[in-house]
Amino acid sequence: MSDHGHHSRQWPLWTSLLVAVLFTLTPAPDWYGTLFPDINLRPIWLLPVCFYWAIALPQRFSVGSAWLFGLLLDVTSGGLLGRHTIGLVISVWIAQRFYLQLRQFPFGQQAIVVGLLAMLQQLLLLWIDGATGVLSKPMHYFTPVITTMMLWPLLFPLLRKLRISLHVR
Amino acid sequence: MATAYSQNDDKPLFPRGLSLNARAILLCLFSVILLGVDQRTDQLQPVRRVLSTATYPIDILAAMPSTVWNWASDGLSSRNELQKENEQIKRQLLLQNARLQRMDALYEENRRLRALLKSSSRLQSDVLVAEIIAVDMDPYRHTITLNKGLAHKIYDGQPLLDAYGVLGQVNTAAAMSSTAVLITDADHAIPVSNNRSGIRTVAYGTGKPDVMLLPHVPNHSDIKQGDLLVTSGLGERFPAGYPVAIVTEVKRDYGQPFATITAKPTAHVTESRHVLLAWHQLIDPAAEAAAEAAAETQTDSAEEAQTETDKPVLGQP
């Protein structure tokens, strides 16, 4: 156990976060607009992935890294710098405070926690966008929370499998 | 279940530096400061430029699915379709060329008249074609990423056109790419004037790709459905005279001071894959005056030199 630092494999962790950013940025295909003309069903990707790594490897992934990835999303999505970072830092903070309990939760309860954190982040976004005058429909901020919660039971086993099979420590 | 996690939980989580709480609070505070500074000032523009340049590969990767899709659909479009498109483009080219011939004459005439009036020419015909490599995921925020940047002399605030009208303006130019905001973005406003009556106003984006609003037009103004709105050139951001939108509806409620007017952008906001970047550099009044003075002395000396030949100094190319 003492020589963990020598061959700790971390790239799957950072790659999964990068993929979450890419999924957020990829434009929706044309058929999405025709199928769901005025409803935003695109899940929030970065927050649940951050949440997972914060409870699985709290010693590797912490608030600082979450802040950096939040900034990455701000830069690439073209919003104000700091738009996503507060919500992510608070989510990872809470996840780290209670990671031992959160690991024991069944999927359903974890999904609820993820949903609450996603809701917090969307509220913050709504508030920031409202204060800076670029507010769109409030509905568009909250429908993704539901899809994010529905995504969790798929995302959690996937990331878990990734972590265990690739020995991410 | 917990056994599947890594076993070094017994190690102190943060053996060095600040505690988790302190770091979280500091990062949140820093984010708030960042937000405030970014919202109120332009000071973070260089930072954003550097970061956008560094993250350009991510933009490319994120655009990959749609790039592949476009490529595949181009490759699969039938011969028939291509032939039809080709015919159509040929016909269009013929029409445009005919129009251009007239334009050339008009351009020359305009240039001569301007020279006679000694007014500085603000017509800049330099344009560059750029490709849209990414579109913002938020349906209400209409920003796009282009594959041209500082390396191609793109500057912040540069007007963006397509074949049918004004499309938007560049927000941040990075080294090899730039982000642009469209005129239909809920946060965008563009000074326009009515091409028919000359009334000046401001057209706001609404977040919908085919609706713009003109909230500051008094009820009694001469504006009606079908009027073409062109850039007024005020604000010195967009060159004057480019089509922006066509008025779709004018509702006059005489209890209210302003009419409710909606317009539809002439540019094909959602369909363009290629856009034109136009060069319309601001002309500094002082520099302009100096340049004019210099031109005048030159003209004077030229006139002196050419008095015998009796040739018009200005005019012929």
Side-chain angles (χ1 to χ4, degrees):
Chain A
M1 299 291 146
S2 58
D3 58 345
H4 269 148
H6 290 293
H7 39 78
S8 62
R9 190 183 286 173
Q10 290 182 37
W11 63 262
L13 192 166
W14 309 117
T15 310
S16 68
L17 289 161
L18 200 63
V19 168
V21 171
L22 286 179
F23 278 12
T24 316
L25 294 173
T26 301
D30 295 336
W31 55 260
Y32 175 87
T34 48
L35 213 57
F36 312 103
D38 206 25
I39 183 162
N40 184 7
L41 292 175
R42 303 194 56 176
I44 301 156
W45 292 96
L46 189 56
L47 187 135
V49 177
C50 282
F51 180 83
Y52 174 80
W53 291 114
I55 61 169
L57 298 171
Q59 71 280 22
R60 282 271 168 264
F61 183 78
S62 187
V63 285
S65 322
W67 188 87
L68 279 178
F69 273 89
L71 193 71
L72 180 69
L73 190 55
D74 291 334
V75 171
T76 45
S77 65
L80 282 181
L81 296 182
R83 202 170 155 262
H84 287 98
T85 51
I86 305 173
L88 282 172
V89 166
I90 293 175
S91 300
V92 169
W93 183 17
I94 289 171
Q96 290 221 333
R97 291 300 310 238
F98 305 106
Y99 72 97
L100 287 173
Q101 291 95 314
L102 288 168
R103 284 180 187 177
Q104 310 299 331
F105 280 7
F107 282 167
Q109 278 183 39
Q110 281 182 346
I112 289 169
V113 176
V114 169
L116 284 173
L117 294 174
M119 183 71 111
L120 176 78
Q121 168 158 31
Q122 296 303 92
L123 271 171
L124 281 166
L125 287 183
L126 188 74
W127 177 65
I128 291 167
D129 291 353
T132 54
V134 288
L135 189 63
S136 57
K137 275 190 189 166
M139 260 294 280
H140 288 275
Y141 289 81
F142 296 116
T143 40
V145 174
I146 298 161
T147 43
T148 308
M149 284 171 74
M150 283 164 29
L151 181 76
W152 182 254
L154 299 171
L155 197 64
F156 180 84
L158 191 78
L159 288 170
R160 193 176 138 84
K161 188 151 193 177
L162 183 81
R163 179 178 62 79
I164 292 170
S165 60
L166 294 173
H167 307 287
V168 187
R169 287 189 296 236
Chain B
M1 193 165 152
T3 50
Y5 290 93
S6 66
Q7 297 85 6
N8 42 3
D9 289 344
D10 50 348
K11 281 208 303 197
L13 271 183
F14 307 107
R16 68 205 183 287
L18 295 163
S19 74
L20 174 66
N21 294 358
R23 280 184 301 153
I25 291 166
L26 275 179
L27 286 171
C28 283
L29 273 178
F30 186 53
S31 304
V32 172
I33 294 168
L34 208 59
L35 273 171
V37 174
D38 202 13
Q39 162 71 5
R40 311 244 164 211
T41 73
D42 281 343
Q43 309 223 324
L44 289 177
Q45 198 68 356
V47 180
R48 188 187 285 277
R49 213 185 291 286
V50 170
L51 290 175
S52 311
T53 305
T55 54
Y56 180 53
I58 294 180
D59 291 334
I60 300 251
L61 277 178
M64 201 77 97
S66 58
T67 315
V68 170
W69 175 256
N70 285 336
W71 177 79
S73 59
D74 278 356
L76 293 175
S77 54
S78 69
R79 191 188 148 83
N80 211 351
E81 261 172 66
L82 286 175
Q83 257 172 354
K84 218 186 279 172
E85 199 182 323
N86 201 337
E87 291 273 307
Q88 201 187 338
I89 288 171
K90 267 188 196 153
R91 216 173 318 136
Q92 247 175 17
L93 188 69
L94 203 66
L95 273 173
Q96 311 262 9
N97 270 341
R99 229 181 263 172
L100 258 182
Q101 284 169 16
R102 216 177 54 208
M103 266 293 292
D104 277 343
L106 282 173
Y107 178 80
E108 270 312 306
E109 186 180 331
N110 188 305
R111 209 179 60 82
R112 252 175 289 145
L113 288 172
R114 270 177 185 280
L116 283 175
L117 289 169
K118 295 207 167 127
S119 79
S120 62
S121 167
R122 279 169 189 273
L123 289 174
Q124 299 266 345
S125 52
D126 267 5
V127 289
L128 178 73
V129 179
E131 198 177 329
I132 299 176
I133 53 170
V135 182
D136 198 330
M137 69 286 183
D138 184 340
Y140 276 72
R141 192 161 292 122
H142 294 183
T143 59
I144 53 176
T145 308
L146 306 172
N147 69 344
K148 296 282 192 289
L150 290 172
H152 309 90
K153 305 222 163 45
I154 307 296
Y155 60 92
D156 292 358
Q158 184 164 20
L160 202 66
L161 315 164
D162 75 357
Y164 310 96
V166 176
L167 202 59
Q169 58 176 302
V170 173
N171 228 356
T172 310
M176 295 303 294
S177 66
S178 51
T179 55
V181 55
L182 302 182
I183 52 169
T184 49
D185 186 287
D187 205 20
H188 193 271
I190 177 170
V192 294
S193 68
N194 187 333
N195 203 29
R196 184 176 57 81
S197 63
I199 288 169
R200 289 186 303 272
T201 182
V202 176
Y204 289 82
T206 58
K208 289 182 192 149
D210 53 352
V211 183
M212 294 182 81
L213 278 179
L214 284 70
H216 308 311
V217 181
N219 262 327
H220 53 77
S221 293
D222 182 12
I223 186 164
K224 61 186 184 192
Q225 196 184 337
D227 279 357
L228 177 67
L229 303 167
V230 298
T231 46
S232 65
L234 298 181
E236 300 200 316
R237 190 58 45 118
F238 294 96
Y242 281 94
V244 177
I246 288 172
V247 176
T248 48
E249 198 183 12
V250 182
K251 261 191 252 165
R252 293 178 212 268
D253 173 4
Y254 287 95
Q256 301 290 325
F258 298 113
T260 312
I261 300 169
T262 54
K264 185 178 187 297
T266 53
H268 293 190
V269 173
T270 48
E271 293 153 37
S272 322
R273 218 195 291 170
H274 292 95
V275 298
L276 295 172
L277 287 151
W279 268 265
H280 169 69
Q281 296 288 12
L282 301 184
I283 299 166
D284 182 27
E288 199 178 347
E292 242 167 61
E296 216 152 286
T297 50
Q298 261 189 3
T299 319
D300 287 346
S301 54
E303 256 167 42
E304 273 168 52
Q306 292 192 328
T307 34
E308 299 111 58
T309 54
D310 200 23
K311 221 173 123 195
V313 178
L314 299 162
Q316 297 306 316

